[in-house]
């Protein structure tokens, strides 16, 4: 399974757009890119998934360049409640491999 | 529509004891995976059950075993508990093994081994 690299932590302010970039140099042809959000003492929650180009849903956008060696999760106009750990995962039908994730801290 | 349900929510066991954790998957899901999450770390994959059989396994010793029932619910058993087994145990369900896609996680069982 492809290994992912993300920043350990990020700070931002309420109302700002936050972009979290994930590196996955060894991504395989069949791999999808999936992002999860986790609050303390809760299970991870699916945010968004993509294969290439751009995917947008009601909570986030996912940008994937043509070489698919990285991806960027974009959270528009964050609020205090977006403070959480965000995990980038790469894989297909296989088991999920979580890295350490990015701790996002939103400041008032 | 109920999501993934895990029981119990908290558990305290003594070193050397055995523990059983339970999981009911989201309605419509047929695959259950179990994860161990130590404090401050990402979840670590233990194993996955599909059609009542263990389909994949992570790097965990045989002390960790599981079972899936015909109704797709699952149990995680841990024997000879060690202090290092203290963690949040997460159950995730999905459809037909698409774990990399849209798995639904439960809130977990917090196991403390003393």
């Amino acid at each position: 399974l492809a290994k992912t690299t993300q920043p350990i932590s990020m700070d931002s302010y309420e109302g700002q757009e936050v972009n979290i970039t994930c590196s996955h140099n060894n991504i395989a042809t069949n791999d999808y890119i999936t992002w999860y959000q986790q609050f303390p003492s809760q299970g991870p929650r699916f945010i968004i998934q993509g294969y290439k180009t751009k995917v947008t849903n009601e909570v986030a956008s996912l940008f994937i360049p043509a070489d698919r060696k990285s991806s960027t999760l974009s959270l528009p106009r964050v609020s205090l409640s977006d403070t959480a750990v965000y995990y980038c995962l790469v894989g297909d039908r296989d088991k999920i491999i979580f890295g350490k994730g990015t701790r996002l801290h939103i400041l008032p | 529509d109920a999501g993934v349900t895990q029981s119990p929510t908290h558990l305290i066991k003594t070193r050397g004891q055995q523990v059983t954790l339970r999981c009911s998957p989201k309605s419509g899901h047929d695959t259950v995976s179990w994860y161990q999450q130590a404090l401050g770390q990402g979840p670590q994959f233990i194993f996955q059950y599909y059609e009542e059989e263990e389909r994949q396994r992570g790097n965990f010793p045989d002390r960790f075993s599981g079972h899936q029932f015909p109704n797709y619910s699952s149990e995680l058993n841990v024997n000879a508990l060690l202090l290092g087994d203290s963690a949040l145990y997460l159950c995730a369900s999905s459809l037909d093994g698409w774990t990399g896609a849209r798995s639904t996680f439960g809130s977990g069982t917090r196991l403390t081994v003393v």
Side-chain angles (χ1 to χ4, degrees):
Chain A
L1 294 174
K3 179 182 176 181
T4 60
T5 303
Q6 307 173 231
I8 294 175
S9 65
M10 294 179 64
D11 290 340
S12 187
Y13 292 92
E14 278 192 296
Q16 299 290 309
E17 177 185 77
V18 172
N19 296 310
I20 306 174
T21 297
C22 178
S23 172
H24 29 80
N25 291 319
N26 297 321
I27 189 169
T29 302
N30 295 330
D31 287 345
Y32 281 76
I33 300 157
T34 310
W35 286 79
Y36 283 81
Q37 174 194 56
Q38 187 177 27
F39 299 112
S41 297
Q42 292 187 26
R45 182 176 74 100
F46 172 87
I47 301 175
I48 197 166
Q49 183 190 55
Y51 183 79
K52 61 180 179 180
T53 64
K54 175 184 175 182
V55 179
T56 298
N57 61 22
E58 63 276 9
V59 298
S61 295
L62 179 60
F63 299 91
I64 305 169
D67 66 5
R68 304 202 323 126
K69 293 183 182 298
S70 67
S71 59
T72 299
L73 174 71
S74 180
L75 303 172
R77 300 180 299 281
V78 293
S79 65
L80 296 176
S81 64
D82 291 315
T83 293
V85 178
Y86 292 81
Y87 294 98
C88 165
L89 311 169
V90 173
D92 54 8
R93 298 173 67 100
D94 212 335
K95 58 184 180 288
I96 301 178
I97 302 296
F98 284 85
K100 297 185 186 301
T102 297
R103 293 186 175 277
L104 176 64
H105 187 204
I106 305 301
L107 304 167
Chain B
D1 179 24
V4 176
T5 304
Q6 292 188 243
S7 63
T9 55
H10 295 83
L11 201 54
I12 299 175
K13 289 287 189 179
T14 303
R15 190 172 46 183
Q17 285 188 314
Q18 179 264 346
V19 68
T20 298
L21 310 181
R22 294 176 176 82
C23 172
S24 294
K26 180 179 178 180
S27 177
H29 286 181
D30 59 7
T31 302
V32 173
S33 302
W34 287 91
Y35 295 82
Q36 179 195 67
Q37 186 172 27
L39 206 59
Q41 303 296 315
Q44 300 297 306
F45 176 80
I46 302 175
F47 43 52
Q48 180 188 91
Y49 276 84
Y50 174 68
E51 293 187 341
E52 303 181 46
E53 293 199 359
E54 184 183 292
R55 183 159 67 174
Q56 295 190 58
R57 189 179 183 91
N59 189 27
F60 279 80
D62 292 344
R63 298 187 297 111
F64 290 78
S65 63
H67 189 78
Q68 185 180 35
F69 298 94
N71 66 353
Y72 307 119
S73 67
S74 178
E75 290 182 348
L76 164 65
N77 301 293
V78 186
N79 294 322
L81 284 167
L82 304 173
L83 296 179
D85 294 332
S86 295
L88 180 68
Y89 287 85
L90 295 163
C91 172
S93 72
S94 58
L95 184 62
D96 193 22
W98 280 99
T99 57
R102 298 167 189 264
S103 288
T104 301
F105 282 79
S107 295
T109 294
R110 174 70 63 185
L111 173 64
T112 302
V113 182
V114 297

